Amino acid sequence: MPRLPLHFASTLVAAVVLLSSAAIPSSGARAVPDVRPAVAPSRDRAHTDVLFIGAHPDDEFQSLATFGQWRQRRGQSAGVATITRGEGGGNAVGPEEGAELGLIREREERKAVGLVGIRNVYYLDKPDFWYTLSVPLTGKIWNRAPQRRTDTLERIVRLIRATTPKTVVTMDPRPFNQHGAHQQAARLAIEAFRLAADPTAFPEQIRKEKYRPWRPSELLAQSWGFKGPVGPGCAGHRAVDPPTGLPVVGYWTGVRAPNGRTWAQIERNAARAYLTQGLGALPRKVTTPRRRLPCEWFTVLARNGEFVRAKVRNQSGLRPLYAEFREWAERTGLPWLADDAQPGYPANPRTTAPAVARAPVVDGTAGPGEYPGPQLTLRHWDGEQCTPADCSATARISRHGAALYVLVQVRDNIKGAALDARTDCKRHWRTDSVEIDLDPRGDSDDTSTTFKTGILPFTAHRGGPCAERDGDNRQGPAATTAPGMAVAATVTEPYTGYTVEAKIPFSALPAAVDPNRLTANVLVYDSDTKDKTGKSRLAWSPFGSAQADPYVWGPLRLPGYQPPVGRPTRPADIPLEAARSKDSPAAVAQARRTGVPLAVGPRHRHPRRHPH
């Protein structure tokens, strides 16, 4: 299973990939093809032939062409399980966030999947907090007290028993360069695939709720990054997943639906329903010639109800997140999934922040003697490649006392959207911005123990720069989450770029700074549009998921700095707000129609009343 691109319900990277890739399908059908699904043996009125299990609204959309074909050619119905409503993602069309954004994203998802005939979307009401690569952190948040540690898994097992699918489709469970919520959704789907048939697994579902054990036949994982042939022959291509050797199957998006449009075009229409995620900016029409349209690829994890076996090649020297994944894979009975799961990380860049006798003046310019240290060059990390005049950047770092001073100079030829500094200084990746990441102890496995700030160099109504924190130990405007932080920016006129300068006091970091272990990254996001979507990304350490993987950040040495003794580590403040199914009329109506309770909670069987 090749690596997934960054989740763009929470970040806009997937949108960038889609906009720049002819291999991804595009727009077209308004009506669902009039194909009646065959009636399969069902144990419940919720029965569906195919169940997709994902983490966020839009995780399914790059498989919709396949689900539509299965409905058309096999008469198979499909349903979707979405663990969160994507509350932690960006919003390209308004200021809503949290639960309010989650309900908007639910409406987008129901509209999108409806274009291929999918009627039922089951939400588990778990919070989508922010973009992380960590499964342990995701699991902790999804199953926090007073819920049981197995709460999310229980709900997915219940859903499989309620919907009795033949085929379960999920995401890639492997850890490199993809959202921890994607990984966790896949892990839970894999575990539930096996446990749903076991009468001793969550036996109260059988004893009290009167579900029956159910064994799906087939388990597939999306392989978004698989590089296979294109055109009508791709569906018959015999392929294997390079790391594991497991079989990979493809379904050609150029197949025509009964209305004459390709499934690639119908899938593009569905993608464009995700307006909050910037996918409405995708071209309406797929212009790739039909003979060059790609397949959608899936790795076969199980057939005939049993896991497909492969050779196991154990890696040595695993970092904690990869070691934890290998332990899970072995415990679950698929140890081969950990083959080559940890990539060969390149050597981390390193630099020094020299101490300066006088504090730099934070005014958006480099004054004499303020930044005597080495110049750091930022390189392309993600999204479209761009010319130096379009997007290029350098950074310099100094220290004065117990604070870092960072100067980032950016060349850019087109201004992105100017956000409102009072109401919309957040989710900085949607427009032109600078991000500064710091791991004070240099030993973090996820960003909940780090400091990350996003700085907008310009805002609407000539509001000047603004700074916020997202995806780290604290969340929200820098004025309240990083007391003592200061930012300034100068923007050229006519526009050729900008300079951002920031003071970051060590007191704002989640732990005392170790001058010999501190690590950092500096990133630049380039938009070039007014529709709150990103285009290109640069980073000082441009590998993998540069903003969310502390393993790639580079050592930043602080000669002469003596940290305070006895400062405690600050616990992470993680947003837990989630939209609830009880507040969604569509979810309430679906629960009545299918008999599956809201959020796939326990089903209460009431005893029959006997006449007196």
Side-chain angles (χ1 to χ4, degrees):
M1 290 164 292
R3 315 302 180 192
L4 298 177
L6 290 178
H7 170 68
F8 221 63
S10 303
T11 65
L12 291 176
V13 179
V16 173
V17 172
L18 288 169
L19 283 165
S20 61
S21 172
I24 301 296
S26 40
S27 91
R30 291 179 177 267
V32 175
D34 187 15
V35 181
R36 298 182 181 276
V39 178
S42 68
R43 300 166 184 240
D44 207 305
R45 53 190 163 140
H47 170 76
T48 189
D49 299 303
V50 179
L51 180 65
F52 175 82
I53 299 171
H56 315 92
D58 79 14
D59 285 346
E60 82 296 314
F61 92 80
Q62 291 188 72
S63 300
L64 291 180
T66 297
F67 299 156
Q69 285 186 59
W70 289 352
R71 177 182 170 92
Q72 173 186 0
R73 293 183 162 186
R74 304 177 182 177
Q76 290 182 335
S77 60
V80 172
T82 303
I83 296 172
T84 80
R85 285 178 171 82
E87 297 88 351
N91 186 349
V93 294
E96 300 88 356
E97 57 184 333
E100 190 178 8
L101 173 60
L103 291 174
I104 295 172
R105 294 193 65 180
E106 175 184 345
R107 292 194 290 272
E108 291 175 342
E109 183 171 32
R110 290 187 184 276
K111 178 180 178 181
V113 302
L115 293 179
V116 300
I118 295 175
R119 190 180 187 192
N120 295 325
V121 184
Y122 301 92
Y123 296 93
L124 273 59
D125 292 5
K126 301 296 181 177
D128 177 42
F129 48 105
W130 31 258
Y131 179 61
T132 177
L133 302 184
S134 173
V135 162
L137 182 62
T138 302
K140 179 180 178 182
I141 298 303
W142 283 359
N143 302 293
R144 66 193 185 281
Q147 297 173 331
R148 292 190 284 194
R149 293 175 63 187
T150 58
D151 184 76
T152 312
L153 178 60
E154 277 185 60
R155 293 171 192 263
I156 296 175
V157 169
R158 179 182 290 115
L159 185 60
I160 290 176
R161 288 170 171 170
T163 56
T164 59
K166 175 187 176 184
T167 301
V168 173
V169 183
T170 190
M171 311 189 78
D172 188 326
R174 294 187 294 192
F176 177 66
N177 195 19
Q178 64 152 326
H179 204 311
H182 291 178
Q183 302 171 51
Q184 180 73 325
R187 290 196 196 186
L188 294 170
I190 291 167
E191 293 179 46
F193 177 89
R194 176 174 54 87
L195 293 176
D198 182 356
T200 67
F202 309 117
E204 63 277 9
Q205 294 181 6
I206 297 166
R207 186 177 66 255
K208 294 182 179 180
E209 301 178 48
K210 305 306 179 184
Y211 290 111
R212 303 182 201 178
W214 179 258
R215 182 185 299 275
S217 176
E218 187 175 43
L219 177 62
L220 305 178
Q222 292 170 323
S223 292
W224 287 347
F226 182 78
K227 304 300 182 185
V230 299
C234 65
H237 179 67
R238 298 185 64 180
V240 296
D241 171 54
T244 64
L246 290 171
V248 174
V249 294
Y251 297 90
W252 186 42
T253 59
V255 171
R256 293 194 185 278
N259 61 13
R261 292 188 174 97
T262 64
W263 283 108
Q265 185 63 59
I266 295 171
E267 184 172 274
R268 174 62 62 84
N269 289 347
R272 284 172 48 81
Y274 288 106
L275 298 178
T276 61
Q277 303 313 294
L279 299 183
L282 290 169
R284 290 182 177 274
K285 184 176 177 57
V286 173
T287 57
T288 303
R290 182 168 176 255
R291 67 183 181 279
R292 297 294 301 166
L293 286 171
C295 269
E296 290 178 340
W297 300 100
F298 302 86
T299 300
V300 181
L301 301 184
R303 281 177 173 155
N304 301 318
E306 302 293 337
F307 291 142
V308 178
R309 302 186 66 82
K311 292 182 179 180
V312 177
R313 300 188 309 278
N314 285 325
Q315 281 184 289
S316 60
L318 293 180
R319 301 177 187 220
L321 283 182
Y322 298 96
E324 187 273 339
F325 175 70
R326 183 170 70 183
E327 291 168 4
W328 171 85
E330 291 173 346
R331 185 172 65 250
T332 309
L334 297 96
W336 43 86
L337 287 183
D339 290 356
D340 298 331
Q342 178 173 297
Y345 278 85
N348 300 62
R350 55 183 59 239
T351 192
T352 297
V356 290
R358 298 178 63 180
V361 178
V362 181
D363 58 2
T365 62
E370 290 185 336
Y371 294 95
Q375 177 175 281
L376 313 180
T377 300
L378 278 59
R379 296 179 173 83
H380 176 263
W381 149 47
D382 200 17
E384 292 184 24
Q385 289 279 359
C386 49
T387 65
D390 182 11
C391 62
S392 56
T394 61
R396 293 181 182 274
I397 307 175
S398 293
R399 177 184 68 83
H400 176 76
L404 282 182
Y405 292 79
V406 184
L407 185 90
V408 183
Q409 296 174 302
V410 179
R411 292 184 64 192
D412 182 21
N413 60 353
I414 301 175
K415 265 189 176 182
L419 307 181
D420 191 309
R422 295 169 300 171
T423 63
D424 206 18
C425 186
K426 56 194 176 187
R427 311 295 194 263
H428 57 277
W429 55 84
R430 296 173 295 156
T431 189
D432 298 327
S433 61
V434 167
E435 178 177 318
I436 302 168
D437 303 334
L438 299 168
D439 181 4
R441 313 298 296 173
D443 59 0
S444 294
D445 295 317
D446 65 71
T447 60
S448 69
T449 52
T450 71
F451 173 95
K452 287 161 53 70
T453 183
I455 302 169
L456 306 179
F458 50 82
T459 56
H461 317 299
R462 298 184 179 275
C466 72
E468 50 84 40
R469 291 178 64 181
D470 182 276
D472 68 341
N473 188 256
R474 299 284 302 279
Q475 315 293 304
T480 55
T481 61
M485 182 175 172
V487 297
T490 55
V491 181
T492 62
E493 189 64 44
Y495 185 74
T496 58
Y498 57 88
T499 298
V500 160
E501 189 172 20
K503 171 191 175 183
I504 302 173
F506 292 159
S507 59
L509 274 57
V513 170
D514 185 331
N516 297 311
R517 298 180 63 190
L518 169 70
T519 60
N521 210 354
V522 181
L523 307 94
V524 164
Y525 298 79
D526 181 51
S527 175
D528 286 357
T529 75
K530 303 299 183 183
D531 56 17
K532 300 180 186 178
T533 60
K535 188 194 75 169
S536 304
R537 298 181 175 188
L538 309 175
W540 175 48
S541 183
F543 181 72
S545 189
Q547 90 277 40
D549 187 356
Y551 295 161
V552 309
W553 300 354
L556 173 59
R557 299 296 174 251
L558 306 178
Y561 176 67
Q562 295 294 324
V565 177
R567 179 188 161 186
T569 299
R570 185 180 298 133
D573 180 12
I574 297 177
L576 300 175
E577 182 180 336
R580 302 298 178 190
S581 292
K582 65 180 179 62
D583 297 322
S584 164
V588 171
Q590 177 183 292
R592 294 194 184 108
R593 181 175 68 250
T594 63
V596 177
L598 295 174
V600 196
R603 179 169 67 176
H604 301 290
R605 290 290 191 177
H606 300 287
R608 292 182 179 179
R609 293 183 178 181
H610 298 284
H612 293 291

